[in-house]
Amino acid sequence: MHYFSYRDARLHAEDVDLDSLAAKVGTPFYCYSSATLERHYKVFTDAFAGREMLLCYALKANSNQSVIATLARLGAGADIVSGGELERALAAGIPGERIVFSGVGKTRAEMAEALKAGILCFNVESEAELAALSEVAIGLGRRAPVSIRVNPDVDAKTHQKISTGRSATKFGIPISRARQVYAEAARLPGIAITGVDMHIGSQITDMAPFENAVALLAELARDLMAAGHKLKHMDLGGGLGVPYAASDPVPPEPEVYARVVEEALGGLDLPLVFEMGRMIVANAGILVTRVLYVKQGEGKTFVIVDAAMNDLIRPTLYEAHHDIVPVAEPRPEAALKVVDVVGPVCETGDFLALDRPLPEVKAGDLLAVMTAGAYGAVQAGVYNTRPLVPEVLVKEATAVVVRPRIPAQELIARDRLAPWL
Ligand code: LLP
């Protein structure tokens, strides 16, 4: 469910006409809908009404300060994976006690900053990290609140590059060794055990592996509590999928997801933490791009647009599908033509869609690449010295540029000429 729809034959973001917005901002640009962000946050948290829970929004999905602040106002916490994301979360008004810190490679400096900010929990991924964290905490005269991220060795049945719950990935500690690692952690003077944690992958649509993993984590939590560990929460990670294409498996609604969680917990009554990213922001954002040329190749038609793989890398990196629709509403009887939608970057892998049936488009037309709010702008770069793509946030009839386009001059000015040149 999102707030992008045709009105008077033009695509709108809430009450903002995207054609007029494109004329003002220039293309390409990302456009986010506040109402959609708010709705997704609410639908998820409402699904767990009656249970103590904290939604720690995974900043990596979209870390624009205005997006984070929108969620912070609703009470969201943050799941961070770097010192930079810690700064972003704090700057957007998320208090330390609502922040969890994930990731396999936290540096000592990052640990120290997070300890000073008084974060809720470090999700620790290795024994070596545990030892380092204990030392850093002692140095600061503190104890670090810790969950061990457990790798339950389940196959999340999602794209290989975003699946994290198998033992062959770099993530977490095998569940078979978790009890022993918890015992070791309890002996470290700078560590205070506060929870258990898992995250098995992203874009999950099949609930069975997730249910399996939650049940394993619940069993572990019960054993740990029986062994005397004082657990204060259980972090079930993020990963709930979103619909990208009509032909995709339909991801479960948050109520169904919540029911699966409750069943798998089997009455275990610990406060829950979630690290949702994609399901909060994916449908809340689109990428608006203009057609530069239509080129007839041999047996193929290329729609060359002004957005490229550096602006949205998901299609080429994960074979991801994003629906693409014209901003000017096509007539219902408009014939479809199969085209490749490609960008100006000099790589064959520079495409937004391959073999895609689209209504006939011509140079100057605007297209909207849908479901681009998650892992879109955050994974954008400036390859080919393309200006960094701007971001716009809409609330009802108001649109604000929340990150301006970074032009080539600014990119060039960041370089320094070596003294011998
Ligand atoms: N927690 C941890 C520890 C994670 O590694 C991730 C995502 C999340 C939470 C949030 O997962 P979500 O709810 O967004 O599925 N760039 C890829 C996705 C990478 C996901 C990485 N980890 C893409 O564009 O599909």
Side-chain angles (χ1 to χ4, degrees):
M1 166 62 195
H2 59 72
Y3 293 86
F4 297 97
S5 59
Y6 288 112
R7 278 195 216 164
D8 304 325
R10 288 218 283 221
L11 192 64
H12 283 60
E14 301 189 19
D15 300 329
V16 172
D17 173 358
L18 287 164
D19 194 86
S20 315
L21 184 60
K24 266 187 234 142
V25 176
T27 51
F29 66 94
Y30 279 93
C31 180
Y32 310 130
S33 148
S34 302
T36 313
L37 288 170
E38 288 166 5
R39 188 192 145 81
H40 289 165
Y41 177 85
K42 203 168 154 359
V43 168
F44 190 83
T45 49
D46 283 356
F48 286 93
R51 142 99 58 193
E52 205 182 321
M53 68 88 87
L54 178 64
L55 173 49
C56 287
Y57 166 61
L59 255 57
K60 63 168 81 69
N62 184 321
S63 53
N64 186 284
Q65 290 306 121
S66 283
V67 169
I68 307 170
T70 300
L71 297 167
R73 296 244 171 121
L74 301 174
D79 168 44
I80 59 163
V81 289
S82 70
E85 286 191 349
L86 174 64
E87 287 184 40
R88 282 194 179 278
L90 295 172
I94 297 182
E97 71 260 20
R98 289 208 205 117
I99 298 176
V100 297
F101 194 169
S102 304
V104 296
K106 305 173 193 79
T107 66
R108 285 169 186 253
E110 288 173 326
M111 289 170 176
E113 286 313 310
L115 281 165
K116 287 184 210 151
I119 68 164
L120 174 65
C121 196
F122 289 85
N123 292 333
V124 170
E125 304 228 11
S126 66
E127 282 122 311
E129 182 192 339
L130 207 49
L133 181 58
S134 179
E135 280 173 25
V136 175
I138 293 166
L140 290 172
R142 298 177 194 237
R143 295 183 84 187
V146 159
S147 288
I148 305 286
R149 175 169 175 185
V150 168
N151 188 324
D153 195 18
V154 299
D155 183 352
K157 304 220 175 75
T158 179
H159 191 277
Q160 175 204 332
K161 284 198 178 114
I162 55 174
S163 180
T164 52
R166 295 301 302 273
S167 57
T169 70
K170 67 180 175 184
F171 297 103
I173 285 178
I175 195 153
S176 52
R177 274 204 300 122
R179 290 161 181 81
Q180 178 198 331
V181 175
Y182 266 96
E184 285 163 21
R187 286 194 287 273
L188 290 171
I191 300 295
I193 286 167
T194 57
V196 288
D197 171 49
M198 68 172 217
H199 171 78
I200 61 166
S202 197
Q203 187 53 16
I204 297 172
T205 52
D206 180 352
M207 279 291 91
F210 175 75
E211 184 171 9
N212 203 341
V214 176
L216 287 169
L217 197 70
E219 188 190 324
L220 171 67
R222 284 199 179 84
D223 289 357
L224 293 174
M225 289 192 288
H229 296 287
K230 304 230 169 352
L231 300 186
K232 294 187 187 146
H233 71 257
M234 215 171 153
D235 182 337
L236 301 182
L240 183 54
V242 301
Y244 280 99
S247 56
D248 277 357
V250 183
E253 293 294 323
E255 308 87 75
V256 175
Y257 174 92
R259 228 176 299 134
V260 166
V261 167
E262 292 297 351
E263 269 165 38
L265 290 179
L268 181 64
D269 192 20
L270 276 173
L272 298 179
V273 171
F274 296 94
E275 302 168 358
M276 292 300 161
R278 192 189 308 266
M279 69 84 47
I280 303 289
V281 286
N283 274 332
I286 62 172
L287 173 64
V288 179
T289 180
R290 205 177 280 282
V291 176
L292 296 172
Y293 306 104
V294 178
K295 168 172 165 172
Q296 196 52 56
E298 254 182 66
K300 269 219 169 218
T301 304
F302 298 100
V303 172
I304 303 169
V305 297
D306 63 5
M309 63 186 284
N310 69 295
D311 304 306
L312 179 65
I313 203 167
R314 303 195 69 258
T316 194
L317 190 57
Y318 314 113
E319 297 98 45
H321 173 103
H322 287 263
D323 278 347
I324 297 181
V325 301
V327 168
E329 186 174 18
R331 292 186 321 279
E333 70 279 10
L336 299 182
K337 190 168 180 183
V338 175
V339 299
D340 284 3
V341 181
V342 301
V345 162
C346 298
E347 295 212 25
T348 307
D350 178 28
F351 57 84
L352 298 177
L354 298 178
D355 297 322
R356 181 69 59 86
L358 276 192
E360 191 118 17
V361 293
K362 56 182 189 319
D365 287 356
L366 289 170
L367 298 176
V369 184
M370 306 304 288
T371 325
Y375 306 106
V378 282
Q379 296 197 107
V382 294
Y383 185 38
N384 282 200
T385 307
R386 290 170 49 80
L388 188 63
V389 60
E391 298 172 277
V392 177
L393 180 66
V394 163
K395 187 175 177 62
E396 297 169 357
T398 309
V400 176
V401 175
V402 290
R403 185 180 71 195
R405 193 180 310 280
I406 300 191
Q409 299 88 294
E410 266 184 53
L411 300 175
I412 295 166
R414 285 189 198 170
D415 293 359
R416 298 285 176 270
L417 267 191
W420 57 86
L421 294 174

